[in-house]
């Protein structure tokens, strides 16, 4: 749903820019570092909008790539810690089984010692 709203907003913004550019078709001076040229205002507006979209898109791609790498690193760390947790749980269950069997043997020994001999 969020993506649909973003696309709709982008289309509305593109239509507004296109209408604004079509209304402004007069030639305007564009100053470069090395000179000046006359360009139709429609090209200046559309070129500026396109350049802004490209720069925004490049920042979004870099951010997505960075976050993707961070997610992969965190997933690797999580799986490593899960493996450590599983190993620790196995050790704990083995320890508990040994402790239970030791106590059971001690109780059996005590019971046999406390039985009256006939």
């Amino acid at each position: 749903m969020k993506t649909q709203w973003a696309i709709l907003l982008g289309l509305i913004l593109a239509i507004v820019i296109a209408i604004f550019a079509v209304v402004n078709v007069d030639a305007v001076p564009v100053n470069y570092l090395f000179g000046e040229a006359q360009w139709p205002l429609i090209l200046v507006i559309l070129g500026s909008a396109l350049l802004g979209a490209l720069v925004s898109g490049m920042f979004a791609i870099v951010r997505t790539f960075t976050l993707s790498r961070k997610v992969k690193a965190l997933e690797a760390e999580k799986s490593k810690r899960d493996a450590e947790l599983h190993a620790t749980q196995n050790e704990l269950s083995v320890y508990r089984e040994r402790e239970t069997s030791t106590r059971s043997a001690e109780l059996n020994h005590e019971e046999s010692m406390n039985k009256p001999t006939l």
Side-chain angles (χ1 to χ4, degrees):
M1 188 71 171
K2 185 178 179 181
T3 305
Q4 292 172 345
W5 281 107
I7 291 173
L8 182 64
L9 183 63
L11 287 173
I12 290 172
L13 185 62
I15 290 171
V16 168
I17 290 172
I19 291 172
F20 184 74
V22 169
V23 171
N24 295 293
V25 290
D26 300 332
V28 294
V30 177
N31 295 319
Y32 301 106
L33 293 175
F34 52 86
E36 181 177 307
Q38 294 286 329
W39 285 73
L41 187 56
I42 187 171
L43 293 179
V44 173
I45 292 170
L46 292 176
S48 297
L50 180 63
L51 186 61
L54 288 174
V55 169
S56 296
M58 286 180 17
F59 278 117
I61 288 171
V62 168
R63 179 180 163 102
T64 302
F65 179 72
T66 303
L67 290 175
S68 174
R69 289 182 59 198
K70 188 179 283 188
V71 165
K72 285 180 184 177
L74 289 173
E75 285 175 346
E77 183 179 342
K78 180 187 176 290
S79 63
K80 178 183 172 186
R81 290 183 186 233
D82 284 345
E84 290 174 359
L85 177 63
H86 184 67
T88 304
Q89 286 175 339
N90 285 342
E91 288 176 17
L92 181 62
S93 65
V94 167
Y95 174 75
R96 284 184 179 164
E97 286 175 10
R98 285 182 187 166
E99 186 176 308
T100 303
S101 64
T102 304
R103 283 191 182 170
S104 170
E106 287 175 358
L107 286 175
N108 287 338
H109 180 69
E110 285 179 14
E111 286 178 3
S112 66
M113 293 298 281
N114 290 335
K115 284 186 180 178
T117 55
L118 295 175

